[in-house]
Amino acid sequence: NAGVTQTPKFRILKIGQSMTLQCTQDMNHNYMYWYRQDPGMGLKLIYYSVGAGITDKGEVPNGYNVSRSTTEDFPLRLELAAPSQTSVYFCASSFYTTPKLASGEQYFGPGTRLTVT
Amino acid sequence: AQKVTQAQTEISVVEKEDVTLDCVYETRDTTYYLFWYKQPPSGELVFLIRRNSFDEQNEISGRYSWNFQKSTSSFNFTITASQVVDSAVYFCALSEARGSGGSNYKLTFGKGTLLTVNP
């Protein structure tokens, strides 16, 4: 299993450009997440998905969009890049069963380092 | 709202010293989960441990141990006989139970503690 993969690993964007960060997991996890990590800070949740076709906003969703058409893929779209979006982006996935209370740990991808200039 | 505080921004120790990383959390839920993740210089996030709020037993895994105390809302992490390879940023995180059937998801992270172990 490759786990959670992210592409690209690095990217430099000019202000106003758009791009899509790709995320794929092969663990058949139902939950997927996007976080951003700014220097000296913890991770902040951008968007998450509890299954194909279902997405919801996290703590810092402005400037981003997501879609979840399959269980495996959860791309993150930046429409009009701004310097404030310079960050390291992590995709993660986990598996939860219902109705039993359960907390599966989140598995993280290697991250995408994005610079907007 | 939930919150995780890691008051120690940076810690520097000499190899073989014991070191404790502090984590204090806030939540209004009675059922929640606590995690520790390690982020080495290479940048990936590595899961270390998960604890349930209804299980206060301490846990030991090799040189790592965790002390969970609900009375003080703390979930501290101790590395015994530290090694240079332990140098990393360590994150504490909290997840509350949400959703139907008790499924939970969103993690709230602390800001992390940078541990440097010097030879």
Side-chain angles (χ1 to χ4, degrees):
Chain A
N1 282 353
V4 180
T5 57
Q6 292 181 239
T7 56
K9 291 186 177 169
F10 305 93
R11 183 71 185 268
I12 298 174
L13 280 182
K14 294 190 184 302
I15 295 172
Q17 286 186 323
S18 301
M19 78 162 294
T20 299
L21 281 64
Q22 301 293 343
C23 175
T24 300
Q25 55 92 8
D26 62 359
M27 298 174 282
N28 202 31
H29 285 170
N30 47 355
Y31 286 62
M32 294 187 75
Y33 319 78
W34 274 104
Y35 295 89
R36 59 176 288 172
Q37 182 181 23
D38 299 322
M41 304 291 287
L43 280 71
K44 294 190 176 180
L45 184 64
I46 305 171
Y47 271 95
Y48 65 95
S49 168
V50 301
I54 306 171
T55 63
D56 206 348
K57 296 177 181 178
E59 186 182 356
V60 289
N62 291 343
Y64 307 95
N65 277 301
V66 294
S67 59
R68 182 100 181 267
S69 57
T70 66
T71 299
E72 295 77 20
D73 300 308
F74 190 41
L76 177 72
R77 179 83 178 160
L78 283 71
E79 290 295 347
L80 292 170
S84 61
Q85 293 177 305
T86 295
S87 189
V88 180
Y89 291 84
F90 288 96
C91 179
S93 71
S94 62
F95 182 74
Y96 292 102
T97 58
T98 61
K100 182 181 177 181
L101 277 172
S103 174
E105 59 268 25
Q106 294 186 15
Y107 294 84
F108 285 81
T112 294
R113 187 175 295 273
L114 175 68
T115 302
V116 182
T117 60
Chain B
Q2 50 189 358
K3 183 179 178 182
V4 176
T5 301
Q6 295 180 255
Q8 304 150 308
T9 305
E10 296 186 33
I11 300 176
S12 182
V13 300
V14 177
E15 208 169 16
K16 297 185 182 177
E17 284 185 22
D18 298 347
V19 58
T20 296
L21 309 181
D22 297 333
C23 174
V24 174
Y25 62 91
E26 296 177 26
T27 177
R28 285 178 284 187
D29 276 14
T30 55
T31 301
Y32 51 88
Y33 303 84
L34 294 161
F35 303 79
W36 276 94
Y37 282 85
K38 174 182 180 180
Q39 187 175 42
S42 52
E44 74 272 23
L45 280 149
V46 179
F47 166 79
L48 295 178
I49 190 172
R50 174 188 71 237
R51 297 303 288 173
N52 304 326
S53 56
F54 41 86
D55 181 2
E56 283 193 74
Q57 278 191 344
N58 291 330
E59 183 154 341
I60 298 174
S61 175
R63 296 185 296 107
Y64 295 171
S65 62
W66 291 268
N67 181 273
F68 177 29
Q69 292 195 339
K70 289 180 74 171
S71 61
T72 56
S73 297
S74 65
F75 185 44
N76 296 337
F77 173 30
T78 297
I79 301 175
T80 303
S82 60
Q83 300 176 1
V84 173
V85 293
D86 296 326
S87 296
V89 179
Y90 290 87
F91 290 100
C92 180
L94 165 69
S95 175
E96 296 175 333
R98 288 279 188 273
S100 62
S103 61
N104 55 63
Y105 34 82
K106 293 179 279 187
L107 283 176
T108 297
F109 282 82
K111 293 185 179 180
T113 297
L114 172 61
L115 173 65
T116 302
V117 181
N118 299 299

